[in-house]
């Protein structure tokens, strides 16, 4: 009917972009959701696997100095693969930034950029999942 409010009137923001812009925005949102988890895993795996090998940690306990030597840890964590996954997800976010700026005449370029963005996201996610599966299978 004529007097009913539209979607914008009910508090929901409506995306006015075309399908490729919405697709690109969705990929960027998924990448942003996964990136903090991967960054945390990247930092922790660096500290555990690469950063503390044979490091001496000196603590004072009740007036006596105690030296703890961190042992070499042989966890099957593929640090370079996790780093590549983080780079690919960050790339997927950056690639999609200019998509809303491309006009109607440049729609093939918009499609190409959105597909490249999706490819970077899927490959980064694939690397991350394969790293987890290799780690899990090595722990059995």
């Amino acid at each position: 009917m004529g007097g009913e409010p539209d979607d914008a009137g009910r508090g929901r923001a409506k995306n006015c972009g075309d399908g490729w812009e919405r697709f690109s925005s969705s990929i960027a949102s998924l990448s942003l959701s996964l990136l903090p988890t991967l960054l945390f895993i990247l930092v922790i795996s660096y500290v555990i696997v690469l950063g503390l090998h044979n490091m001496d940690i000196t603590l004072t306990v009740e007036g006596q100095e105690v030296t703890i030597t961190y042992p070499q840890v042989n966890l099957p964590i593929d640090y370079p693969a996790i780093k590549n996954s983080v780079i690919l997800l960050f790339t997927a976010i950056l690639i999609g930034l200019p998509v809303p700026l491309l006009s109607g005449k440049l729609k093939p370029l918009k499609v190409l950029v959105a597909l490249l963005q999706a490819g970077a996201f899927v490959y980064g996610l694939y690397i991350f999942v394969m790293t987890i599966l290799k780690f899990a299978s090595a722990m059995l």
Side-chain angles (χ1 to χ4, degrees), residues 53-108:
H53 284 274
N54 299 323
M55 183 177 187
D56 290 333
I57 302 169
T58 305
L59 303 171
T60 303
V61 178
E62 295 182 8
Q64 294 182 346
E65 288 195 10
V66 177
T67 302
I68 302 169
T69 303
Y70 191 82
Q72 185 172 356
V73 178
N74 292 323
L75 287 177
I77 296 176
D78 193 359
Y79 176 75
I82 296 172
K83 184 176 79 172
N84 288 341
S85 182
V86 167
I87 291 170
L88 282 169
L89 288 178
F90 191 67
T91 302
I93 295 167
L94 290 179
I95 288 173
L97 288 177
V99 169
L101 302 175
L102 300 174
S103 66
K105 293 189 324 187
L106 297 174
K107 186 161 183 151

Side-chain angles (χ1 to χ4, degrees), residues 23-24 26-35 38 85 87-93 95 114-128:
F23 178 71
S24 175
S26 298
I27 294 296
S29 177
L30 288 171
S31 297
L32 277 172
S33 296
L34 189 57
L35 200 57
L38 278 176
S85 182
I87 291 170
L88 282 169
L89 288 178
F90 191 67
T91 302
I93 295 167
I95 288 173
L115 290 176
L116 281 172
Q117 182 184 17
F121 172 76
V122 168
Y123 190 61
L125 186 63
Y126 168 76
I127 291 173
F128 177 61

